[in-house]
Amino acid sequence: MESLFHANTHIAILKRLESLSPNSIASWGKMNVSQMLNHCQKPLEIPLYNRDFNLKSNFLIKLLFKKSMYDDSKIRKNLPTPKAFKIIETKDFLTEKTQLKKLIEDFYELRSKESFQPHPVFGNFTTSQWGQMQYKHLDHHFTQFGV
């Protein structure tokens, strides 16, 4: 499984980010590219800043979805988005792209960290699982916009 903590994957994700433009069009979903860039920041802020976004955990979600956050399966298109991660307001492309790049780089710097605070919905993840789930989410949305 790819991980945002692997050097080659980290570089590849940054290259994919750079290939996005304000004119990139989604193949599915409701967000435009600037909104997607803002949306992708939220999961990175959880381990970086211990943000919980008032997300609620429940046993069924943990049981059914936790492993899928870091396995080799693809994220299905058009899954429901948690309310805290829905971006409906207008966003500035360059601002969001710059901020996402910074968060990706800051997250990569945590690659040697031995433990993280529990995820507000899914609980504890290993460092490896954190890297895998962050890659998987970015890959899903970058694929959505053709990069």
Side-chain angles (χ1 to χ4, degrees), residues 1-4 6 8-9 72 128 131-133 135-136:
M1 174 73 196
E2 297 280 352
S3 169
L4 204 51
H6 297 156
N8 291 342
T9 303
D72 284 327
S128 178
Q132 292 165 338
M133 69 184 284
Y135 167 77
K136 189 171 182 172

Side-chain angles (χ1 to χ4, degrees), residues 16 26 62 73 77 96 102 119-120 123:
R16 290 170 70 184
K62 271 188 192 178
S73 66
K77 298 174 184 175
E96 299 306 328
K102 180 186 181 325
H119 188 280

Side-chain angles (χ1 to χ4, degrees), residues 23-89:
N23 300 319
S24 296
I25 303 293
S27 298
W28 70 86
K30 297 176 183 174
M31 292 183 286
N32 65 36
V33 67
S34 300
Q35 291 167 325
M36 178 275 291
L37 292 169
N38 182 270
H39 165 82
C40 285
Q41 295 170 36
K42 307 304 181 209
L44 289 161
E45 291 175 3
I46 292 172
L48 284 168
Y49 308 128
N50 294 326
R51 296 209 44 202
D52 68 10
F53 294 99
N54 293 316
L55 298 170
K56 304 293 183 228
S57 180
N58 95 33
F59 177 75
L60 190 58
I61 288 175
K62 271 188 192 178
L63 181 69
L64 294 176
F65 295 108
K66 182 175 180 176
K67 187 175 184 319
S68 72
M69 299 302 295
Y70 55 84
D71 68 12
D72 284 327
S73 66
K74 293 284 188 187
I75 297 174
R76 287 189 337 213
K77 298 174 184 175
N78 296 312
L79 283 176
T81 301
K83 186 176 181 177
F85 291 3
K86 283 186 181 180
I87 311 302
I88 55 173
E89 60 274 355

Side-chain angles (χ1 to χ4, degrees), residues 73-142:
S73 66
K74 293 284 188 187
I75 297 174
R76 287 189 337 213
K77 298 174 184 175
N78 296 312
L79 283 176
T81 301
K83 186 176 181 177
F85 291 3
K86 283 186 181 180
I87 311 302
I88 55 173
E89 60 274 355
T90 302
K91 296 291 181 181
D92 177 71
F93 176 81
L94 188 55
T95 300
E96 299 306 328
K97 185 175 178 180
T98 301
Q99 181 61 21
L100 181 56
K101 180 178 181 183
K102 180 186 181 325
L103 290 170
I104 291 168
E105 290 173 341
D106 289 350
F107 183 77
Y108 180 71
E109 293 302 315
L110 300 178
R111 66 192 177 278
S112 298
K113 189 172 180 173
E114 293 186 18
S115 66
F116 291 82
Q117 292 292 318
H119 188 280
V121 174
F122 300 107
N124 292 320
F125 286 112
T126 66
T127 300
S128 178
Q129 291 166 341
W130 273 108
Q132 292 165 338
M133 69 184 284
Q134 296 294 350
Y135 167 77
K136 189 171 182 172
H137 185 248
L138 291 168
D139 176 64
H140 171 74
H141 286 293
F142 288 4

